Amino acid sequence: ANTSMTMRATGQGCIPRITRVYMGRKRMMKKISSMLMIFCFVFSLFISVKAEPSFVDVGEDYWAKEYIDFICQKGIITDATHFYPEKNISRGDFIMAVVRTFEIDKVAYADAFEDVEKDIYYADYIQTAFDYGLFCGSGNRLCEPNRLISRQEMVSIVMRSYDLIRCNTKSQTTFEYSFMVPDDWTDVSEWAQDDVKSAYEKNIVLGFTDQKFYPNNYATRAEAATVIVRTMLRGKIYVL
């Protein structure tokens, strides 16, 4: 029996049939690959357009724009057309943003505090923060979720979150910078001093140009977005 490959006469000589099949499949794969590349390109454009926030009150040169864009792209804090960066944020809303940011397993509300209604939108997040030791309330089983959060309270919660996620990740990279004591250090409550110092050392907070921290000032939404994203980066959850 003739076991040689089937040959076909052409004007350019004889081409093995197996070679012709291979070349045909190769051309088909290139065509499919090109179509997939075009599809992926168009799809990526669609996704980038849909994901890119466009807040009328956050200009291109706004100091916290990159942090606000990032946190909104992740769906952590969402708004339609306005972000209200200079507006203060409540304790309940900030705690909800932190729990969602660090993807902590949410638990059902179990009456951790007397002043938190079970059916309110942030109840489960507050219970989660309480169970994981991120937030202890104001004492006497009071949470005061609608009270505006101070800068030192904000920093304390994110640094406790940082410690939690560092325990749950394999990365052992540390970020330590020199600690420049803010001029108003004596205004920082004793219970918050370790957290504030750690946040400075890790460049999560930088203070103001007048070398002050203003621990008792209420935190703005822009400041909240900034410390959350910086903590995410230090904790190696996301990469910009």
Side-chain angles (χ1 to χ4, degrees):
N2 187 0
T3 58
S4 62
M5 292 182 293
T6 303
M7 309 292 281
R8 180 174 64 88
T10 68
Q12 297 178 344
C14 296
I15 302 176
R17 180 176 181 277
I18 191 170
T19 301
R20 290 188 292 107
V21 172
Y22 171 76
M23 292 174 64
R25 289 180 177 176
K26 187 175 181 180
R27 285 194 297 269
M28 182 179 294
M29 291 302 295
K30 287 182 67 176
K31 186 175 182 180
I32 293 174
S33 178
S34 298
M35 291 175 65
L36 285 173
M37 289 178 65
I38 293 172
F39 173 79
C40 291
F41 176 72
V42 173
F43 183 74
S44 66
L45 288 178
F46 174 78
I47 291 297
S48 63
V49 169
K50 297 295 286 185
E52 182 66 25
S54 180
F55 299 114
V56 298
D57 55 353
V58 179
E60 289 297 324
D61 57 349
Y62 187 70
W63 69 270
K65 176 176 171 52
E66 62 177 323
Y67 299 111
I68 293 171
D69 286 351
F70 182 80
I71 205 170
C72 290
Q73 286 171 357
K74 293 299 180 183
I76 298 164
I77 296 179
T78 57
D79 289 274
T81 58
H82 292 72
F83 184 76
Y84 305 104
E86 298 302 317
K87 184 179 179 180
N88 300 122
I89 185 169
S90 70
R91 286 152 62 101
D93 285 339
F94 182 77
I95 289 170
M96 181 176 69
V98 167
V99 172
R100 295 180 64 184
T101 295
F102 301 116
E103 300 177 353
I104 303 172
D105 293 334
K106 189 172 63 172
V107 299
Y109 188 66
D111 298 321
F113 301 101
E114 294 180 352
D115 56 348
V116 176
E117 297 179 8
K118 184 177 182 179
D119 296 330
I120 200 163
Y121 65 94
Y122 50 67
D124 291 349
Y125 297 99
I126 287 177
Q127 183 71 52
T128 303
F130 178 77
D131 286 358
Y132 280 89
L134 309 182
F135 175 74
C136 301
S138 305
N140 298 319
R141 295 196 62 220
L142 295 178
C143 172
E144 299 182 289
N146 297 318
R147 180 165 67 79
L148 299 178
I149 194 168
S150 69
R151 285 170 52 82
Q152 64 180 358
E153 289 171 338
M154 172 182 70
V155 168
S156 182
I157 291 173
V158 295
M159 293 317 299
R160 292 172 187 174
S161 304
Y162 173 88
D163 291 338
L164 176 65
I165 62 175
R166 293 292 291 178
C167 289
N168 293 331
T169 58
K170 296 180 180 179
S171 174
Q172 297 299 317
T173 305
T174 57
F175 299 84
E176 298 295 335
Y177 300 82
S178 58
F179 174 51
M180 300 294 292
V181 180
D183 291 345
D184 57 350
W185 179 251
T186 55
D187 294 335
V188 179
S189 300
E190 185 176 351
W191 58 265
Q193 288 182 357
D194 288 344
D195 291 324
V196 173
K197 181 177 182 293
S198 181
Y200 266 95
E201 290 173 340
K202 294 171 176 59
N203 252 19
I204 291 174
V205 296
L206 306 177
F208 290 85
T209 55
D210 60 0
Q211 308 304 317
K212 292 184 178 182
F213 174 62
Y214 296 102
N216 297 306
N217 281 15
Y218 294 132
T220 66
R221 287 166 58 87
E223 291 170 345
T226 299
V227 298
I228 286 174
V229 173
R230 286 177 180 168
T231 305
M232 284 194 297
L233 297 179
R234 297 299 182 264
K236 293 293 187 180
I237 293 183
Y238 299 112
V239 177
L240 282 174

